[in-house]
């Protein structure tokens, strides 16, 4: 059985996260992002633009999924988490996950109105490895 500790360690080793939202027509939309900047409990925090399509979709429908994978020479492993996504404008969390190079994307710095934090809260997931898959529920 996959543990929360295993999930965290797996995610930390990846370079890319795929986040999924639901559009106004009910179709899934997927985007590649950098891995979460903070992981705490069942929550994963991403840096993004307030004006992005994905952020706007989460504001209308918070249902979301995130996916991480490792493709080895002979082994493929993936972890999908399902839950909800919130767009946060809270100054404290924005400061907490801010990185110096972010000014490339947000010219006004941490207070840029186009800078927000996506907070994903996982409730369940699925792990795939070595031709086997397993569903799991995340406890608080």
């Amino acid at each position: 059985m996959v543990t929360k500790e295993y999930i965290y360690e797996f995610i930390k080793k990846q370079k890319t996260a795929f986040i999924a939202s639901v559009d106004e027509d009910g179709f899934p939309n997927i985007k590649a992002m950098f891995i979460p900047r903070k992981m705490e409990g069942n929550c994963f925090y991403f840096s993004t633009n307030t004006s992005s399509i994905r952020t706007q979709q989460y504001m209308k429908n918070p249902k979301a999924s995130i996916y991480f994978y490792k493709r080895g020479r002979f082994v493929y492993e993936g972890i999908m988490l399902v839950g909800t996504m919130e767009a946060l404008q809270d100054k404290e969390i924005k400061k907490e996950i801010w990185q110096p190079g972010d000014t490339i994307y947000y010219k006004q710095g941490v207070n840029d109105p186009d800078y927000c934090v996506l907070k994903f809260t996982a409730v369940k997931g699925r792990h795939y490895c070595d031709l086997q898959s397993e569903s799991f529920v995340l406890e608080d």
Side-chain angles (χ1 to χ4, degrees), residues 4-5 10 16 18 21 30 33 37 41 45 51-52 68 79 84 90 96 98 100 105 111 120 123 126 129 131 136:
K4 196 179 296 188
E5 292 76 24
F10 182 80
T16 307
F18 294 90
S21 58
I30 298 172
M33 305 229 349
R37 292 194 174 173
Y45 298 82
S51 62
S52 75
F68 305 89
I79 293 177
T84 56
D90 178 76
E96 185 178 345
W98 180 263
Y105 308 107
N111 295 315
F120 176 79
V123 293
R126 192 153 178 85
C129 187
L131 303 175
F136 55 88

Side-chain angles (χ1 to χ4, degrees), residues 54-82:
R54 221 65 62 232
T55 299
Q56 299 306 307
Q57 289 173 341
Y58 293 129
M59 292 170 134
K60 293 175 185 163
N61 184 345
K63 290 182 179 176
S65 180
I66 60 176
Y67 187 77
F68 305 89
Y69 78 98
K70 177 184 176 190
R71 181 178 169 197
R73 188 173 202 163
F74 301 106
V75 176
Y76 178 94
E77 183 173 8
I79 293 177
M80 177 190 66
L81 300 172
V82 176

